[in-house]
Amino acid sequence: MATTTSTPAGPAEEGPKSSNMRSLSRALEVFAELQRAERPQRLSDLARNCGMSLPTTLRILRVLQDFGMVSQTDKSYRIGPAVLPAARSFLENDPLVVAARPILQQVASQTGLTASLYSRLGFERILVARVDGEAPLRYDLPLGKRLPLTLGAAGKILLASASDDELQQVVTAAVASGQEDADLTAEVLRGRLPEPGTDYAYSADERATGVLSVAMAVQNRTGRPSESISLTSPVEAASEATLKAGVPELRRAAGRLSELLEGSVY
């Protein structure tokens, strides 16, 4: 009787799985690019920004349309209605958001400033919760908005302990996405960050004109925080001294949130 010998699967057999993962990664890149966009995007713009061919980008968009993740009007594409159930589920069930709401409410009430919570996502940050202060902000910043780590106190505090290599990656990503000018360098970005030994970041007129902000990281057991809490105000309603006077309350809020999430998120 002939003996059959089993052999390990080779690269050729792993090809379809690898190809599927690459296709998924590309689809998510296109989806993320649409999230960053301030307006509907044309096929040619999406393809260029994502570094893909027109046929590949079009195939991806058609699949995303089939699932309601993308909508099309004339020759432009935008985020579709299928994202709303996912967003609702996140806001109602995510332990971070649920725990943060009363904490943000308290610090906003005590300081009179707008309190916000951000989560880091790759080389960007996303607003996940907000409680308005006494003075309305000059701009509308909706939940889920993608923002750079390079501008604003809430982003900079998350880079406070970053290595030079990580800062260079952040700079490259911010420039590639159009969130920063091409002349930004890791050295310039390092100069924007808090001084060593300072546990908060301050910003004025950085991401939005006429807006002051102070932020603190929410510590976790990994030592590399991915969330930050900020206090924000229009310049006519507060000063740098006013914002920094709120740091003790902000520090307590960040500590409280860290304690509440210790066993459930990190």
Side-chain angles (χ1 to χ4, degrees):
M1 179 182 295
T3 301
T4 301
T5 303
S6 299
T7 57
E13 296 176 74
E14 297 175 356
K17 181 178 179 180
S18 176
S19 177
N20 289 340
M21 292 304 295
R22 179 167 174 77
S23 296
L24 176 59
S25 177
R26 285 183 165 186
L28 292 176
E29 287 180 29
V30 172
F31 187 61
E33 185 63 28
L34 281 173
Q35 292 178 50
R36 295 186 189 97
E38 299 291 339
R39 59 186 63 85
Q41 297 291 291
R42 296 177 65 87
L43 172 62
S44 57
D45 294 329
L46 285 170
R48 182 181 64 255
N49 293 338
C50 295
M52 302 178 192
S53 68
L54 289 173
T56 296
T57 308
L58 182 59
R59 285 197 299 271
I60 289 172
L61 288 168
R62 285 174 175 169
V63 172
L64 293 174
Q65 281 182 270
D66 289 342
F67 284 89
M69 305 299 289
V70 167
S71 294
Q72 181 182 6
T73 302
D74 296 327
K75 297 181 179 181
S76 297
Y77 297 86
R78 64 184 187 280
I79 294 297
V83 302
L84 290 175
R88 177 175 176 269
S89 178
F90 173 79
L91 293 174
E92 292 180 352
N93 299 295
D94 184 75
L96 174 70
V97 176
V98 173
R101 287 193 189 107
I103 294 175
L104 293 178
Q105 184 66 59
Q106 182 178 32
V107 72
S109 176
Q110 291 174 336
T111 63
L113 304 171
T114 295
S116 305
L117 177 68
Y118 294 87
S119 281
R120 180 172 177 174
L121 183 61
F123 299 126
E124 297 171 299
R125 58 187 167 102
I126 293 180
L127 177 65
V128 297
R130 163 165 284 180
V131 175
D132 291 331
E134 296 173 357
L137 298 178
R138 295 177 173 179
Y139 58 92
D140 179 33
L141 184 59
L143 294 179
K145 179 71 174 178
R146 285 178 177 262
L147 299 169
L149 292 173
T150 56
L151 294 171
K156 295 190 299 182
I157 194 62
L158 294 175
L159 296 176
S161 61
S163 65
D164 291 340
D165 287 343
E166 183 180 2
L167 288 186
Q168 184 57 59
Q169 291 177 322
V170 171
V171 168
T172 300
V175 171
S177 65
Q179 296 171 324
E180 281 282 5
D181 294 331
D183 58 355
L184 178 67
T185 65
E187 183 178 2
V188 170
L189 177 56
R190 176 72 74 186
R192 296 179 186 175
L193 304 183
E195 294 289 336
T198 304
D199 64 351
Y200 67 89
Y202 172 77
S203 66
D205 297 325
E206 284 194 1
R207 200 193 63 79
T209 303
V211 174
L212 309 177
S213 185
V214 64
M216 187 162 295
V218 178
Q219 299 299 326
N220 61 49
R221 64 180 61 165
T222 71
R224 294 299 306 275
S226 56
E227 281 78 35
S228 61
I229 294 182
S230 73
L231 292 174
T232 309
S233 173
V235 66
E236 66 269 15
S239 63
E240 179 177 350
T242 304
L243 268 292
K244 291 184 176 180
V247 167
E249 288 297 334
L250 196 62
R251 186 177 291 118
R252 282 189 282 271
R256 179 60 177 154
L257 183 56
S258 179
E259 292 172 2
L260 289 174
L261 298 179
E262 185 68 23
S264 59
V265 172
Y266 304 113

